């Protein structure tokens, strides 16, 4: 079992604040890094899939970066909105089929 | 609507029962997954099927038995479960192994 760490565990921000969280993963035999958003009472929803060192992806106000050499990814949210409140999960993929999820960062955006 | 459905949504079963969880995807994907989420633990991959063949079995006890009769359907057969198997069981599918996954709503299982 590989350890995928996410920090912080939870985060409370005001509407309009920008924020970021971290996903750390073992870099040996790494294949891809996935980010998902999981809102309460809904299913996890894919945000990004990144494979290459230095990859940067963006979707609206949310963006992510990947460093495969040191084994970390950052997720950024610019100008947080209450609808961004969710748990953000990262999952590291090894050898095509071995997914390891982190425990998630729970974000609460106050209006 | 994610295109991945799961039934039942809630299930309470005794330790001697046999039940099955069903997952169906309407996305034309080739890979399907079973995950377990226990309280305060990360999502844990249980099984991966690619083109109806099991390609990953993550050291799951034999009381959990998956079945993939075709690329749209995935079952998880349960028998003689333990109370610690109580959890949320999520199904997901992806275009191929390793691609972004689309999750179902989950089955909340309680073993009494």
């Amino acid at each position: 079992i590989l350890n995928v760490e996410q920090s912080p565990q939870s985060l409370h921000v005001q509407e309009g604040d920008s924020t970021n969280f971290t996903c750390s993963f073992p870099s040996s035999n790494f294949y891809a890094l996935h980010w998902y958003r999981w809102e309460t009472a809904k299913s996890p929803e894919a945000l990004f899939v990144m494979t290459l060192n230095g990859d940067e992806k963006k979707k609206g106000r949310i963006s992510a970066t990947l460093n495969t050499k040191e084994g970390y990814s950052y997720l950024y949210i610019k100008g947080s909105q209450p609808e961004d409140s969710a748990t953000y999960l990262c999952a590291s993929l090894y050898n095509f089929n071995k997914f390891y999820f982190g425990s998630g960062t729970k974000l609460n955006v106050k209006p | 609507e994610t295109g991945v459905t799961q039934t039942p949504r809630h299930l309470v079963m005794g330790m001697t029962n046999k039940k099955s969880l069903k997952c169906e995807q309407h996305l034309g994907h080739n890979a399907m997954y079973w995950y377990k989420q226990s309280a305060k633990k990360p999502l844990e991959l249980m099984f991966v099927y690619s083109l109806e063949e099991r390609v990953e079995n993550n050291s799951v006890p034999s009381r959990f038995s998956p079945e993939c009769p075709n690329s749209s359907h995935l079952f998880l057969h349960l028998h003689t479960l333990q109370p610690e198997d109580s959890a949320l069981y999520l199904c997901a599918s992806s275009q191929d192994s390793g691609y972004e996954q689309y999750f179902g709503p989950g089955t909340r299982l309680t073993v009494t």
Side-chain angles (χ1 to χ4, degrees):
Chain A
I1 296 178
L2 298 179
N3 226 15
V4 176
E5 304 272 355
Q6 289 191 247
S7 62
Q9 244 181 358
S10 65
L11 198 52
H12 296 263
V13 301
Q14 289 293 137
E15 182 175 353
D17 288 350
S18 293
T19 187
N20 64 86
F21 5 104
T22 307
C23 173
S24 303
F25 54 89
S27 53
S28 180
N29 295 319
F30 169 85
Y31 182 73
L33 193 285
H34 291 216
W35 279 102
Y36 292 88
R37 175 169 59 200
W38 196 356
E39 294 179 66
T40 303
K42 293 188 177 180
S43 310
E45 174 193 347
L47 289 173
F48 305 112
V49 176
M50 297 182 287
T51 56
L52 300 176
N53 186 45
D55 254 357
E56 290 189 32
K57 297 264 175 125
K58 188 174 180 184
K59 187 185 281 192
R61 295 179 290 99
I62 305 178
S63 60
T65 61
L66 179 65
N67 183 320
T68 61
K69 293 182 179 178
E70 295 179 43
Y72 65 83
S73 175
Y74 293 134
L75 189 80
Y76 301 90
I77 302 179
K78 186 177 176 182
S80 304
Q81 300 296 309
E83 58 265 30
D84 295 328
S85 297
T87 296
Y88 291 82
L89 300 173
C90 70
S92 192
L93 174 63
Y94 301 86
N95 301 329
F96 295 95
N97 291 313
K98 291 188 180 293
F99 275 100
Y100 295 93
F101 275 80
S103 296
T105 292
K106 188 170 183 179
L107 174 67
N108 182 34
V109 182
K110 299 176 192 173
Chain B
E1 177 61 57
T2 64
V4 180
T5 59
Q6 288 186 244
T7 55
R9 295 292 304 276
H10 299 271
L11 178 62
V12 179
M13 61 187 285
M15 289 191 283
T16 57
N17 289 160
K18 286 186 182 181
K19 296 283 184 185
S20 296
L21 308 185
K22 180 182 174 182
C23 175
E24 187 173 355
Q25 58 99 357
H26 312 274
L27 301 168
H29 288 167
N30 292 323
M32 296 188 78
Y33 311 77
W34 277 117
Y35 287 92
K36 176 184 178 183
Q37 168 129 71
S38 305
K40 301 191 179 181
K41 287 189 177 179
L43 267 178
E44 187 181 333
L45 182 65
M46 299 175 74
F47 302 104
V48 181
Y49 276 82
S50 178
L51 296 171
E52 299 153 44
E53 281 195 34
R54 193 192 308 180
V55 296
E56 186 66 31
N57 176 350
N58 222 13
S59 304
V60 180
S62 59
R63 57 187 184 269
F64 295 91
S65 174
E67 180 191 0
C68 187
N70 55 61
S71 59
S72 299
H73 294 87
L74 185 65
F75 294 89
L76 188 63
H77 303 301
L78 316 171
H79 62 98
T80 58
L81 294 192
Q82 304 298 309
E84 60 264 29
D85 296 321
S86 299
L88 178 69
Y89 289 84
L90 284 166
C91 171
S93 70
S94 63
Q95 182 181 336
D96 283 300
S97 293
Y99 283 60
E100 66 178 22
Q101 295 177 39
Y102 292 74
F103 285 83
T107 295
R108 174 71 63 185
L109 174 67
T110 303
V111 181
T112 60

